[in-house]
Amino acid sequence: MDMDFEACRRAFVTRDARFDGRIFGAVKTTGIYCRPICPARTPKPQNMTFFPLAAAAQEAGYRPCLRCRPEASPDLGAWRGTSNTVTRALSLIEGGALDGGDVDALAARLGVGERQLRRLFRQHLGASPVSVAQTRRVLLAKQLIQETLLPMGEVALASGFGSVRRFNETFQQLFARPPGELRRSRQAETAASDGITVRLPYKAPYNWEAIIRFLADRAIPGIERVEPRRYARTLAIDGQVGLVIVTPRNDGALSAEVRFPDLRALPAVIARIRRVFDLSADPVLIGAHLGQDPALAPLVAARPGLRAPGAWDGFELAVRAILGQQITVTAARNLAAKLVEAYGGTIEDPTAAALGLTRVFPSPGRLIGEDIAALGMPRARGAALEALARTVASDPTIFTPRADLATAISALKALPGVGEWTAQYIALRELREPDAFPQADIGLMRAMVDEAGVRPTADELFARSQAWRPWRAYAAQHLWAADPAFARPQIASRKRPEANDRRTA
């Protein structure tokens, strides 16, 4: 790992919040690791060492600070290094890839060998994949202990521990005290009877208005409800149906209320919330890079903290995209509502009912063998949706990160009804590829019109976008947000659409 000692120490001496979540400082004399913003007195230089990830500090034998609480640091699931494989692996681990699987399976999904993946983690992070997953569980458990009133047994399940005994042993070993003592040192914020409410930090600034507008334009009645200061939706994970409610806070974080019957779904739910609201992004870093282009500079300045909204589920996103081909966003949303009403599951939750949320988006298996076109769409489109459902049911991992963006796009284009534009859009929102870029989008070309009023072609826009790498997904979001006609992305031509990718919502 290449970490400049003086630069890291300077961040701690000045308590520079820009580095919060990007570096962790460990003190050799106390055995504790901290965030750069820790209020404790900065140790002597000879007693300090630095790590790029909390997992690396814990694997080296250090325990989390109880004052600055590393579990409350932003970017716990993110890493912006030089290895795309490590970045994608961390995304999968955050989503629970190692909770029920092993490193071999994780490596296979990324197209590398198990030994190669371990070597990359050791080289870039100083920790193994298993250590990263374990640290994720420990820090989530610590957050639940200090922010909720969940019983310790339920904390163990909710944070991904296989047993209460293992949970107790880990905390005793790491903190030299039982979990209950950590709770006694803090005032919990929420009671278990009200669901679980967790604080999810981000790097400021955060443009809540832009992301909530994006989600409101696409909200499906019955499963989503969007208000200026609240987003709520139903969600199904591993057969469990629940409700999430997300609201902004005033302390550099979002508040997420999670209501699921099985607490073991909590890590996956949190990972999805972080993905949809793009909480791992570094808007200052991204904005500085994109702002070097004269065309993007005023857009970046006008919307500081703009994020690239993610998707709740790859299958849902693909279905909604295909439904929206050749029609307006309102018509696409109405079709999606019909689909949910006809084939979606139900949810029995009084809080959801009070919000008017009674349905869950249908699973792939539910659409197999159905006459979807009867809902009011071209028969070919209904057949494409049914074929998509069959494909995803046979390979649920189709919407997970691949070895690289090109490999992911190739796999997505093999899906029924998915062409280049839709593949790039799915990679942007579901796979969280920061460099995904649907260059054939008419909104993007319209936003890049020159002084003479001439739009660039798709090829010209693609060439121009090379300077925006590796953040082209965020460039696209700025261009879409600046387009006064923007309600949703559109592909360029109605007359000569791609064979299986006409116009996508």
Side-chain angles (χ1 to χ4, degrees):
M1 294 178 294
D2 182 19
M3 298 190 68
D4 185 278
F5 182 89
E6 287 304 321
C8 292
R9 175 168 168 76
R10 201 157 47 243
F12 273 76
V13 170
T14 60
R15 292 179 172 80
D16 194 332
R18 294 176 300 171
F19 294 90
D20 190 18
R22 297 173 63 184
I23 58 173
F24 296 86
V27 186
K28 300 173 185 177
T29 52
T30 63
I32 293 173
Y33 72 90
C34 299
R35 302 160 64 182
I37 61 171
C38 186
R41 184 175 64 182
T42 305
K44 296 179 180 179
Q46 61 268 29
N47 292 333
M48 295 195 74
T49 186
F50 299 98
F51 299 91
L53 214 65
Q58 291 196 185
E59 189 168 281
Y62 296 95
R63 64 183 185 275
C65 174
L66 295 179
R67 295 186 66 181
C68 65
R69 297 181 58 197
E71 77 277 4
S73 173
D75 286 351
L76 282 176
W79 174 76
R80 302 301 179 194
T82 58
S83 173
N84 289 331
T85 299
V86 172
T87 299
R88 293 179 175 91
L90 287 173
S91 176
L92 290 171
I93 290 172
E94 184 182 24
L98 292 183
D99 290 349
D102 55 24
V103 178
D104 285 337
L106 175 63
R109 291 169 69 175
L110 294 167
V112 298
E114 179 263 344
R115 292 181 61 185
Q116 171 72 351
L117 184 62
R118 291 182 186 275
R119 185 190 68 78
L120 288 172
F121 265 67
R122 185 63 57 189
Q123 174 187 346
H124 293 283
L125 304 179
S128 68
V130 172
S131 293
V132 171
Q134 180 175 333
T135 300
R136 167 179 160 271
R137 287 191 288 268
V138 169
L139 293 183
L140 175 57
K142 186 170 178 286
Q143 181 180 9
L144 294 177
I145 289 172
Q146 297 186 310
E147 294 183 3
T148 77
L149 295 175
L150 282 175
M152 291 301 166
E154 294 185 6
V155 169
L157 290 177
S159 53
F161 283 90
S163 68
V164 176
R165 178 179 178 182
R166 178 60 179 161
F167 165 74
N168 288 328
E169 288 177 350
T170 299
F171 268 77
Q172 188 67 45
Q173 180 181 16
L174 185 60
F175 296 100
R177 66 191 72 187
E181 190 171 328
L182 291 176
R183 170 162 289 171
R184 287 193 292 271
S185 67
R186 297 280 178 172
Q187 179 63 46
E189 294 183 4
T190 61
S193 60
D194 296 325
I196 300 174
T197 301
V198 293
R199 177 181 179 274
L200 302 177
Y202 54 75
K203 282 189 174 296
Y206 190 93
N207 196 321
W208 168 267
E209 291 75 16
I211 203 166
I212 208 68
R213 176 197 167 197
F214 186 98
L215 296 173
D217 287 343
R218 293 152 181 80
I220 300 176
I223 68 170
E224 294 175 280
R225 177 164 177 169
V226 185
E227 301 170 358
R229 301 286 294 177
R230 179 172 66 174
Y231 173 87
R233 76 155 286 158
T234 60
L235 196 62
I237 294 181
D238 296 330
Q240 297 290 328
V241 176
L243 174 71
V244 297
I245 302 173
V246 181
T247 55
R249 295 169 58 116
N250 296 321
D251 59 351
L254 300 183
S255 179
E257 180 183 349
V258 180
R259 301 176 64 89
F260 264 74
D262 190 342
L263 291 173
R264 286 172 292 189
L266 183 62
V269 174
I270 290 176
R272 295 196 190 196
I273 295 172
R274 289 178 57 83
R275 182 175 71 194
V276 169
F277 289 88
D278 198 16
L279 300 185
S280 293
D282 186 337
V284 176
L285 173 67
I286 297 170
H289 178 74
L290 297 180
Q292 296 176 35
D293 188 304
L296 293 182
L299 307 185
V300 173
R303 294 175 179 82
L306 187 70
R307 307 294 166 121
W312 291 101
D313 177 78
F315 175 68
E316 175 184 326
L317 179 66
V319 168
R320 293 170 69 154
I322 294 173
L323 283 174
Q325 292 173 358
Q326 300 277 358
I327 60 177
T328 66
V329 66
T330 301
R333 192 168 56 227
N334 291 340
L335 265 182
K338 289 182 180 179
L339 184 81
V340 169
E341 183 65 26
Y343 305 114
T346 58
I347 178 172
E348 301 294 335
D349 182 283
T351 301
L355 293 171
L357 305 179
T358 58
R359 292 286 186 174
V360 180
F361 199 86
S363 66
R366 182 66 184 86
L367 298 184
I368 294 176
E370 298 291 347
D371 182 14
I372 304 173
L375 297 176
M377 68 187 76
R379 189 153 297 279
R381 189 167 305 159
L385 289 174
E386 202 268 347
L388 173 69
R390 288 184 182 276
T391 303
V392 177
S394 64
D395 181 12
T397 67
I398 192 69
F399 295 113
T400 57
R402 303 293 171 128
D404 52 48
L405 177 59
T407 302
I409 294 299
S410 178
L412 291 171
K413 287 170 66 176
L415 292 171
V418 176
E420 176 69 23
W421 193 98
T422 308
Q424 292 284 349
Y425 189 57
I426 293 173
L428 191 160
R429 293 199 59 197
E430 171 64 16
L431 305 189
R432 308 307 294 140
E433 290 283 354
D435 205 36
F437 189 71
Q439 71 264 17
D441 183 88
I442 193 172
L444 299 182
M445 290 186 281
R446 183 167 50 224
M448 288 297 292
V449 64
D450 63 19
E451 295 179 356
V454 178
R455 298 178 190 171
T457 65
D459 290 341
E460 290 170 342
L461 181 59
F462 179 77
R464 177 70 178 271
S465 73
Q466 298 308 299
W468 306 336
R469 288 182 180 272
W471 307 112
R472 292 188 302 171
Y474 293 88
Q477 205 65 40
H478 276 289
L479 293 172
W480 282 330
D483 181 3
F486 173 65
R488 61 184 173 88
Q490 309 165 43
I491 67 171
S493 174
R494 295 189 190 184
K495 294 182 179 180
R496 293 189 176 183
E498 295 178 6
N500 63 345
D501 189 25
R502 295 181 177 84
R503 188 179 180 192
T504 310

